[in-house]
């Protein structure tokens, strides 16, 4: 199995035994909890099951070695409320270590074609990333608990295709679910049969000894420290801040991951600092070494790049450079006419083809000139080489029907740059355009299928005021 996958697995289980500890940046009020959520993306047949079993065995041996009369540290398949009750029984700490991490995520209802559901469970789950308090009180009195500080460590393995699905869902980015995980894709390293061997027992014993010592000595909150100034961390922090400014919140995934990366570096650095002192588990200095910080920066940078590739992005620097170019062009004054405003809205409407009759039925251009205003917006886009206006007269005597075919997103760099420049004339980024372009089209057929009681979309019937008004006293 890949050695780097084993490293990230060790970060999960060692980080769990450090739950309720924190990293303090000296000279500031910044205190970051040592709590990791790590997703290791490995396909079937790459050894993830074997690695997961080995990691669980290390945790079980540590649990037995501590001699504590506590339930199992592992989070299993139970309801969200039961998870809270188990955590409370376990000194407010739990470890979710999964051969298939999707099993846990499915309990949070994150696998939805249109996005993440707005559930109370999901909101609480996202807050647990900050090791916040968790209180549950019900009238029935079942599964009630009160924890001043939580310690939910999550780690495991996931199929790359499922990881891609999670990362590409816009709602996951908007709610910050994707950004809370470190996504790592190890390079496959198949070995022949003759090279198979047992894990070094001395190494396993050292890991168990380290985790046992951490658990026994971590009853009170342990504070790890980063001295100030720590030049390497200061430079990385300032670089991330500059990248966030250049992104200008135009890419939710990258903006969120870069923002979270500052804290994740501290979390990983504390865990690596402990691993680097595996030979002296009872005498680990509280100040995190520069070597641990440098290694943590490399780990987090690699994870952000892997997440970007899984989500269909390119290199981080290239993406930021492209967005920076868009931002500089967006400072040009924009037209505020009705046609221009309708054109901008049309670019953000879902689908490769816009069907005007369906959009009018949904009142998308109400107070915007209705049919005439929409056509003028389509014409403005056609003049800017952002699509093609198609007019069709279905039969003699019938009204003209209009469709607008959006311009495809080219693969060739120069052509894509030209498209970006045209989009910026209407204040739309390439990310916004691509999101709308790949969404499902709105057609009359779809609307008619939803036109029923209780439907999310109902087309209001057009009524003649004369025919449908109540009879007056004169008529009677």
């Amino acid at each position: 199995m890949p050695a780097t996958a084993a490293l990230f697995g060790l970060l999960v289980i060692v980080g769990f035994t450090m739950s309720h500890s924190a990293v303090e940046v000296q000279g500031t009020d910044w205190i970051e909890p040592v709590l990791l959520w790590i997703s290791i993306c490995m396909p079937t047949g790459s050894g993830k099951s074997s690695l997961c079993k080995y990691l669980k065995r290390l945790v079980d041996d540590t649990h037995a070695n501590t001699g504590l009369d506590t339930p199992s540290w592992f989070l299993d398949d139970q309801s969200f409320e039961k998870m809270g009750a188990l955590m409370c029984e376990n000194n407010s700490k739990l470890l979710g270590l999964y051969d298939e991490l999707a099993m846990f995520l499915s309990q949070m209802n994150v696998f939805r074609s249109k996005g993440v559901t707005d559930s109370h469970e999901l909101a609480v789950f996202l807050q647990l990333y900050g090791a916040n308090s968790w209180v549950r009180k019900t009238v029935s009195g079942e599964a009630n608990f009160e924890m001043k500080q939580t310690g939910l460590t999550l780690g495991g393995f996931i199929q790359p295709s499922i990881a891609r699905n999670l990362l590409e869902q816009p709602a996951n980015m908007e709610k910050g679910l994707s950004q809370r995980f470190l996504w790592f894709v190890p390079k496959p390293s198949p070995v022949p049969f003759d090279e198979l061997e047992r894990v070094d027992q001395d190494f396993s014993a050292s890991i168990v000894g380290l985790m046992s010592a951490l658990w026994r000595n971590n009853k009170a909150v342990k504070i790890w420290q980063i001295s100030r100034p720590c030049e390497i961390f200061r430079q990385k922090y300032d670089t991330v801040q500059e990248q966030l400014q250049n992104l200008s919140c135009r890419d939710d995934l990258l903006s969120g991951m870069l923002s979270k990366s500052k804290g994740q570096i501290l979390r990983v650095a504390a865990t690596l600092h402990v691993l680097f002192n595996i030979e002296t588990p009872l005498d680990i200095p509280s100040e995190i070494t520069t070597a641990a910080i440098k290694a943590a920066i490399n780990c987090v940078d690699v994870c952000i790049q892997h997440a970007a590739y899984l989500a269909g992005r390119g290199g981080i620097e290239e993406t930021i450079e492209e967005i920076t170019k868009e931002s500089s062009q967006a400072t040009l004054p924009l037209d505020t006419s009705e046609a221009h405003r309708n054109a901008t809205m049309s670019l953000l409407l879902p689908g490769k083809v816009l069907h005007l009759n369906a959009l009018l039925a949904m009142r998308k251009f109400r107070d915007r000139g209705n049919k005439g205003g929409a056509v003028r917006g389509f014409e403005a886009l056609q003049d800017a080489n952002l699509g093609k206006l198609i007019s069709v007269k279905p039969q003699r005597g019938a009204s003209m029907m209009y469709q607008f075919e959006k311009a495809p997103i080219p693969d060739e760099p120069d052509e894509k740059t030209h498209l970006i420049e045209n989009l910026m004339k209407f204040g739309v980024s390439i990310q916004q355009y691509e999101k709308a372009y790949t969404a499902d089209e709105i057609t009359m057929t779809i609307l008619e299928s939803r036109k029923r009681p209780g439907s999310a979309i109902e087309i209001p019937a057009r009524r003649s005021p004369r025919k449908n008004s109540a009879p007056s006293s004169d008529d009677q």
Side-chain angles (χ1 to χ4, degrees):
M1 67 186 69
T4 50
L7 170 62
F8 276 84
L10 289 175
L11 288 177
V12 173
I13 62 175
V14 173
F16 164 68
T17 58
M18 299 171 66
S19 298
H20 293 184
S21 65
V23 179
E24 177 188 27
V25 180
Q26 293 182 345
T28 72
D29 292 329
W30 188 359
I31 297 180
E32 188 75 20
V34 180
L35 189 150
L36 294 172
W37 292 1
I38 296 179
S39 177
I40 305 172
C41 306
M42 297 174 65
T44 301
S46 55
K48 58 187 178 69
S49 297
S50 300
L51 178 54
C52 188
K53 290 178 182 178
Y54 172 68
L55 295 172
K56 286 187 174 182
R57 186 166 70 247
L58 292 177
V59 175
D60 286 335
D61 291 346
T62 302
H63 185 271
N65 197 33
T66 57
L68 299 175
D69 185 18
T70 57
S72 171
W73 291 337
F74 287 114
L75 177 62
D76 206 349
D77 186 12
Q78 61 269 314
S79 66
F80 192 73
E81 293 78 10
K82 185 62 177 176
M83 180 186 78
L86 288 175
M87 187 184 297
C88 190
E89 295 173 6
N90 244 325
N91 195 26
S92 304
K93 305 174 185 178
L94 268 183
L95 171 62
L97 183 58
Y98 294 93
D99 184 9
E100 293 292 346
L101 188 59
M103 185 180 78
F104 173 79
L105 295 176
S106 64
Q107 298 178 28
M108 297 295 105
N109 295 322
V110 301
F111 295 102
R112 294 296 181 92
S113 58
K114 297 299 181 183
V116 182
T117 55
D118 292 311
S119 65
H120 175 71
E121 288 80 5
L122 178 63
V124 173
F125 170 62
L126 294 176
Q127 290 182 10
L128 295 181
Y129 180 77
N132 297 326
S133 61
W134 188 6
V135 179
R136 187 175 189 269
K137 296 181 180 180
T138 61
V139 176
S140 63
E142 297 181 0
N144 285 1
F145 48 81
E146 182 173 355
M147 293 177 280
K148 294 182 179 180
Q149 184 181 18
T150 55
L152 175 62
T153 302
L154 286 177
F157 305 87
I158 192 168
Q159 301 283 347
S161 58
I162 298 177
R164 184 181 304 111
N165 180 34
L166 284 169
L167 286 165
E168 288 179 345
Q169 287 184 11
N172 286 341
M173 305 178 201
E174 294 164 3
K175 296 181 183 299
L177 175 66
S178 303
Q179 296 90 323
R180 282 167 166 78
F181 281 87
L182 289 173
W183 302 85
F184 181 67
V185 186
K187 183 179 180 180
S189 57
V191 297
F193 180 82
D194 291 341
E195 293 185 16
L196 296 178
E197 57 184 356
R198 295 178 62 87
V199 178
D200 189 329
Q201 297 303 306
D202 292 337
F203 173 77
S204 299
S206 297
I207 292 292
V208 171
L210 174 65
M211 293 196 299
S212 301
L214 289 170
W215 188 270
R216 292 193 188 99
N217 298 330
N218 202 26
K219 294 181 180 179
V221 176
K222 172 75 175 180
I223 300 295
W224 308 95
Q225 295 177 338
I226 287 186
S227 63
R228 188 178 183 186
C230 176
E231 189 61 25
I232 187 172
F233 182 70
R234 183 192 65 80
Q235 291 177 358
K236 181 60 180 177
Y237 182 93
D238 291 344
T239 298
V240 171
Q241 295 296 85
E242 183 180 354
Q243 289 175 325
L244 288 172
Q245 184 177 2
N246 291 335
L247 279 172
S248 304
C249 298
R250 290 179 177 269
D251 190 306
D252 291 334
L253 179 66
L254 292 184
S255 295
M257 286 193 165
L258 287 171
S259 181
K260 292 289 184 187
S261 70
K262 296 172 290 185
Q264 287 170 336
I265 289 171
L266 298 181
R267 300 180 184 210
V268 174
T271 312
L272 288 174
H273 174 67
V274 167
L275 281 170
F276 290 171
N277 289 273
I278 190 172
E279 296 181 355
T280 56
L282 298 178
D283 190 26
I284 301 176
S286 60
E287 184 171 334
I288 300 175
T289 62
T290 301
I293 298 172
K294 185 176 182 180
I297 291 174
N298 291 335
C299 285
V300 174
D301 282 350
V302 166
C303 288
I304 294 176
Q305 187 61 78
H306 286 185
Y309 284 136
L310 284 170
R313 307 294 200 279
I316 300 296
E317 294 299 331
E318 291 81 356
T319 302
I320 294 176
E321 183 179 350
E322 181 178 304
I323 293 176
T324 302
K325 183 177 180 180
E326 295 178 27
S327 300
S328 62
Q329 295 171 347
T331 59
L332 298 175
L334 297 178
D335 189 358
T336 57
S337 65
E338 177 192 83
H340 190 279
R341 288 186 291 111
N342 286 344
T344 300
M345 186 181 75
S346 299
L347 290 171
L348 300 176
L349 289 173
K352 299 177 182 178
V353 178
L354 302 180
H355 303 268
L356 183 56
N357 56 345
L359 297 174
L360 291 174
M362 294 182 67
R363 299 184 176 181
K364 288 294 184 182
F365 291 92
R366 186 181 182 184
D367 301 326
R368 286 175 171 265
N370 293 316
K371 184 176 181 179
V375 172
R376 286 189 289 274
F378 292 164
E379 290 173 343
L381 292 177
Q382 183 172 253
D383 293 340
N385 296 319
L386 288 172
K388 181 180 180 182
L389 176 62
I390 301 174
S391 58
V392 179
K393 197 166 187 177
Q395 57 187 8
R396 189 174 183 181
S399 300
M400 190 74 72
M401 295 180 63
Y402 295 93
Q403 293 180 353
F404 183 77
E405 293 183 357
K406 295 181 182 178
I409 302 175
D411 295 326
E412 205 278 324
D414 291 339
E415 294 181 4
K416 190 173 184 179
T417 300
H418 184 63
L419 174 65
I420 292 172
E421 292 173 350
N422 289 335
L423 288 172
M424 293 313 300
K425 296 176 183 177
F426 297 91
V428 176
S429 70
I430 187 65
Q431 285 79 14
Q432 293 173 312
Y433 182 73
E434 183 176 9
K435 179 180 176 181
Y437 186 81
T438 56
D440 296 335
E441 296 176 7
I442 301 174
T443 64
M444 286 302 299
T445 303
I446 294 176
L447 294 182
E448 290 292 347
S449 67
R450 298 177 181 178
K451 188 181 175 184
R452 56 180 182 273
S455 171
I457 299 178
E458 294 187 29
I459 307 173
R462 296 188 178 183
R463 299 178 178 179
S464 169
R466 182 173 298 176
K467 290 183 180 179
N468 294 287
S469 60
S472 64
S473 57
D474 295 337
D475 294 334
Q476 295 177 351

